[in-house]
Amino acid sequence: EDGNTTSGGYKDSTGNNHDGTGTAMTGASDLPGQVGRGQDFDGVNNFINLNGSFALVSSTMSTWYKVGTFDYEGCDGLLFTRTTLATGLNTSCGTSWRMGYHWNDDSATYLWDGPTIYADVWNYVVLSLGGAEATVYNYSGNNLGSSTNVTTHATSTMSSLSIGADVDQDRKFNGQMDEVRVASLIRS
């Protein structure tokens, strides 16, 4: 990561060329992460937009993240797209201090509450999604929580995927993130 707004400055380590471009990212955004360097998102105007488009159904999304005690807001996007229908990993839109997700703008997903978020420490979140269910795991130190949502998940097209924001709804994440991953297979 280069901590700035250079086109393609945030490299896709998989070789799939889904490199990212920072919006309002600066050298101050670059900080020690959980694995190497991470990024600090201010919750106001910075995020990273990824290149390319791909379809997902059986998939896994994961990231390390850290949110301060007074920085939590519901529905903030950690990894999000709204090209056609809202899909992504976010803080819960329902109960505070829970992790959540959207899948194809289905209320059975975005009104669902996942595991607890722990403040002021690094958390590792994983969304593991198959056609009939999704499980969100959240790990922080000695705390491991998980919740499973049993509902149908159709294929979702991911394009203009953003890290640190649900851009179209101006829901920007206020916290730190590191090692964001998206895989087109279910990992456990």
Side-chain angles (χ1 to χ4, degrees):
E1 299 87 14
D2 65 4
N4 65 36
T5 57
T6 303
S7 180
Y10 294 90
K11 299 298 181 194
D12 176 357
S13 65
T14 66
N16 290 322
N17 298 318
H18 297 298
D19 298 332
T21 301
T23 297
M25 302 299 283
T26 67
S29 302
D30 185 52
L31 49 79
Q34 198 58 8
V35 181
R37 304 298 294 171
Q39 297 297 301
D40 187 32
F41 297 89
D42 64 9
V44 177
N45 63 356
N46 61 7
F47 60 94
I48 300 167
N49 195 39
L50 304 182
N51 299 329
S53 178
F54 49 96
L56 291 176
V57 66
S58 295
S59 58
T60 305
M61 295 181 189
S62 64
T63 188
W64 284 98
Y65 72 98
K66 184 178 182 181
V67 61
T69 302
F70 301 105
D71 298 329
Y72 176 89
E73 290 189 29
C75 290
D76 284 350
L78 275 73
L79 186 59
F80 219 87
T81 183
R82 277 189 187 265
T83 305
T84 52
L85 297 170
T87 296
L89 186 58
N90 53 271
T91 56
S92 175
C93 297
T95 305
S96 291
W97 293 99
R98 298 282 185 166
M99 188 52 67
Y101 77 107
H102 279 60
W103 200 264
N104 286 332
D105 215 20
D106 183 349
S107 63
T109 63
Y110 67 77
L111 294 177
W112 173 83
D113 290 326
T116 300
I117 295 171
Y118 297 92
D120 300 315
V121 294
W122 283 101
N123 291 256
Y124 184 64
V125 63
V126 176
L127 167 62
S128 182
L129 189 136
E133 67 181 36
T135 301
V136 176
Y137 302 90
N138 195 78
Y139 169 77
S140 178
N142 294 325
N143 301 304
L144 174 61
S146 67
S147 297
T148 299
N149 186 14
V150 178
T151 189
T152 303
H153 298 85
T155 300
S156 184
T157 300
M158 308 291 246
S159 57
S160 296
L161 188 62
S162 295
I163 298 173
D166 172 0
V167 178
D168 290 351
Q169 295 295 313
D170 198 31
R171 295 175 176 153
K172 306 222 173 54
F173 178 68
N174 189 1
Q176 301 165 7
M177 291 177 65
D178 191 16
E179 293 300 310
V180 175
R181 298 173 185 253
V182 178
S184 57
L185 52 95
I186 301 171
R187 294 194 171 145
S188 58

